[in-house]
Amino acid sequence: MSSKEKIDIAKLPQHIAIIMDGNGRWAKQKGKVRVFGHQNGVKAVKETIEAAAELGINFVTLYAFSTENWSRPKYEVDALMQLLVKTINSETKTLNKNNIRLLAIGDLESLPKNCKKELMEAINSTSQNTRTTLVLALSYSSKWEIIDAVKQISLKVKNNEISIDDIDQNLFSSFLNTSSIPDPELLIRTSGEYRISNFLLWQIAYSELYFTEKLWPDFRKEDLYEAIVDFQSRERRFGKTS
Ligand code: FPP
């Protein structure tokens, strides 16, 4: 029985978040420069979205560029931004054909102008699509997002638009970049690293974590199916007893 056949379609996670890791090591293993790994990571991105859409997963969030990634060598940052522009440009048609909506979270103002422009155009062009939502985390870090929410809420308190007593989990969530997106039930990280790396810290409070040794450019549909099967074998208690 293949992993896909083992999936219980009635119990799919509605949101899967992925830390795509291992591009640099994948390239190094092949004696190539790191950017080669990122370029080959695009194939894994496409396979993952396609598999998720075929299964009927509502949201997929990909950690494509973290706030910390700005500290990488300039040539790598430039190459990643170019790759992003190129991929968004070439894939928007396919997203529309497959009824997939694109969203982005993160400090989008810090992106290069052409990158932000392409991104916004793709987001607008796909905004009516309903099958699956692909969320790109770009120039994103959870601590940045949380501080940003705290600042927005503080300003509202200062202007007497809300009172301190109004602040609860729901209100706080509504000031996060992910306000329109349900929390992920499943978080996947590739490349055998066991870290969260400043990704969706608030939102993964009760997510199931799945780690795989596969390096991101090698990640395929079958790997996503395996992660979902593993997720479905777990008992989610949310702090209660079984
Ligand atoms: C982590 O691998 C990966 C990234 C920082 C970038 C991910 C980008 C892509 C997969 C390409 C474009 C994406 C889209 C959505 C079009 P790493 O460089 O940290 O690898 P390492 O840990 O082996 O060094």
Side-chain angles (χ1 to χ4, degrees):
M1 205 182 192
S2 71
S3 294
K4 191 177 185 189
E5 288 166 331
K6 288 187 202 149
I7 294 175
D8 181 349
I9 293 297
K11 290 184 186 154
L12 284 173
Q14 62 165 326
H15 182 182
I16 300 179
I18 306 181
I19 302 176
M20 309 181 286
D21 195 15
N23 295 351
R25 274 163 286 165
W26 186 90
K28 197 174 173 202
Q29 281 174 5
K30 294 184 159 40
K32 306 270 190 189
V33 290
R34 297 175 53 80
V35 171
F36 184 70
H38 299 316
Q39 287 162 346
N40 281 274
V42 174
K43 166 97 176 138
V45 169
K46 286 191 210 166
E47 284 241 351
T48 302
I49 311 305
E50 204 177 293
E54 284 165 1
L55 286 172
I57 308 245
N58 296 326
F59 293 87
V60 176
T61 299
L62 300 179
Y63 204 6
F65 194 88
S66 72
T67 311
E68 291 76 20
N69 288 153
W70 290 114
S71 311
R72 292 191 175 198
K74 187 176 178 319
Y75 85 89
E76 186 174 343
V77 171
D78 289 350
L80 270 168
M81 290 299 144
Q82 266 177 32
L83 185 61
L84 210 67
V85 170
K86 189 176 147 225
T87 311
I88 292 170
N89 215 321
S90 63
E91 296 303 319
T92 304
K93 237 191 207 159
T94 314
L95 290 178
N96 276 324
K97 203 174 103 202
N98 290 290
N99 196 14
I100 297 170
R101 178 172 70 137
L102 181 67
L103 289 181
I105 55 171
D107 183 10
L108 306 183
E109 292 309 317
S110 66
L111 296 173
K113 264 205 184 95
N114 67 328
C115 187
K116 189 174 169 222
K117 184 171 167 280
E118 287 294 338
L119 184 67
M120 289 308 162
E121 281 174 12
I123 289 173
N124 285 335
S125 147
T126 62
S127 64
Q128 300 306 312
N129 296 341
T130 53
R131 191 177 178 205
T132 295
T133 299
L134 164 62
V135 185
L136 292 183
L138 290 167
S139 192
Y140 175 86
S141 82
S142 212
K143 288 188 177 180
W144 166 83
E145 180 189 36
I146 289 170
I147 296 286
D148 188 60
V150 169
K151 284 182 181 167
Q152 292 180 58
I153 295 168
S154 306
L155 196 63
K156 296 235 179 258
V157 171
K158 190 177 159 198
N159 294 338
N160 290 320
E161 290 170 51
I162 54 173
S163 84
I164 288 182
D165 291 338
D166 294 330
I167 302 172
D168 59 11
Q169 292 187 25
N170 283 337
L171 181 121
F172 192 80
S173 295
S174 75
F175 282 89
L176 294 172
N177 283 201
T178 50
S179 58
S180 64
I181 303 167
D183 288 344
E185 294 98 322
L186 172 61
L187 171 73
I188 299 172
R189 182 174 190 143
T190 59
S191 92
E193 303 286 355
Y194 297 81
R195 282 191 296 277
I196 303 301
S197 298
N198 218 346
F199 188 45
L200 302 176
L201 297 178
W202 172 277
Q203 298 87 340
I204 60 163
Y206 279 101
S207 302
E208 296 297 326
L209 309 183
Y210 179 87
F211 299 97
T212 166
E213 295 293 318
K214 276 270 169 91
L215 302 177
W216 179 252
D218 288 331
F219 196 84
R220 292 291 174 269
K221 287 185 179 183
E222 190 60 23
D223 298 298
L224 185 76
Y225 302 149
E226 276 174 24
I228 295 171
V229 170
D230 188 273
F231 165 82
Q232 292 186 333
S233 74
R234 301 188 193 181
E235 187 192 21
R236 305 189 73 213
R237 289 195 296 273
F238 302 96
K240 300 176 194 137
T241 54
S242 54

